[in-house]
Amino acid sequence: MKLVVAYIRHDAFEPIRSELLELGFPSMTITDVKGSGRQKGITESYRGASVTNYLRPKLKIECAVADGDVQTIVDTILKHARTGNVGDGKIFVTAIEQAYRIRTGESGEETLQAHPDAAEAVNG
Ligand SMILES: Nc1ncnc2c1ncn2[C@@H]1O[C@H](COP(=O)(O)OP(=O)(O)OP(=O)(O)O)[C@@H](O)[C@H]1O
Ligand SMILES: [Mg+2]
């Protein structure tokens, strides 16, 4: 199991969410974050003064998946988040030791994404 963590521009999120849902990956967490890449800061003029913003707003996506699904998730994020401009973002992949579905006590890969024939109400 792996955790795919991506820092992207906000406007890339909707196409990513929509395609991941179609591909059978509805489960994710998103967080509004601020970050900086290697440009360190962007200097803008504000009321005549030069102001450097070191942090830019980004969206963090966390998506826990089976090892065999990592490339699909990464490819989907790359496809929609890449504009070719600096600040497009980063993707990190880390190992997950274990996962549990709290409701049932199940553990392992079957807890991570949608069951192929699941037709459950959208409630969480
Ligand atoms: N090494 C890192 N560790 C943690 N977060 C990072 C790291 N690099 C980038 N980020 C996050 O990703 C966001 C976007 O980074 P960004 O795309 O500017 O990376 P970059 O390395 O500067 O590449 P580019 O030259 O394409 O801009 C940052 O604002 C930050 O939230
Ligand atoms: Mg950058």
Side-chain angles (χ1 to χ4, degrees):
M1 293 177 283
K2 296 280 193 286
L3 183 64
V4 179
V5 179
Y7 300 93
I8 62 163
R9 299 180 204 281
H10 283 75
D11 55 11
F13 175 67
E14 186 51 32
I16 291 170
R17 184 204 62 75
S18 161
E19 186 163 342
L20 288 180
L21 184 62
E22 275 176 29
L23 293 171
F25 303 100
S27 305
M28 66 180 70
T29 298
I30 65 168
T31 316
D32 283 310
V33 296
K34 290 181 180 175
S36 60
R38 60 185 173 174
Q39 281 75 30
K40 297 176 187 142
I42 293 178
T43 302
E44 292 164 323
S45 178
Y46 178 72
R47 294 185 179 176
S50 184
V51 177
T52 300
N53 283 317
Y54 292 96
L55 297 170
R56 308 292 295 173
K58 295 288 171 186
L59 194 75
K60 178 183 180 182
I61 304 176
E62 293 167 292
C63 193
V65 292
D67 290 10
D69 292 326
V70 169
Q71 202 57 52
T72 301
I73 304 297
V74 168
D75 288 346
T76 301
I77 295 170
L78 288 174
K79 174 178 165 185
H80 295 292
R82 181 185 291 151
T83 68
N85 298 311
V86 298
D88 275 353
K90 284 277 174 63
I91 303 174
F92 301 103
V93 180
T94 63
I96 293 176
E97 291 282 337
Q98 188 52 286
Y100 298 90
R101 174 172 287 118
I102 293 174
R103 176 173 60 85
T104 59
E106 291 165 275
S107 62
E109 285 190 355
E110 69 264 37
T111 67
L112 295 183
Q113 294 293 338
H115 191 274
D117 59 10
E120 296 174 22
V122 178
N123 62 4

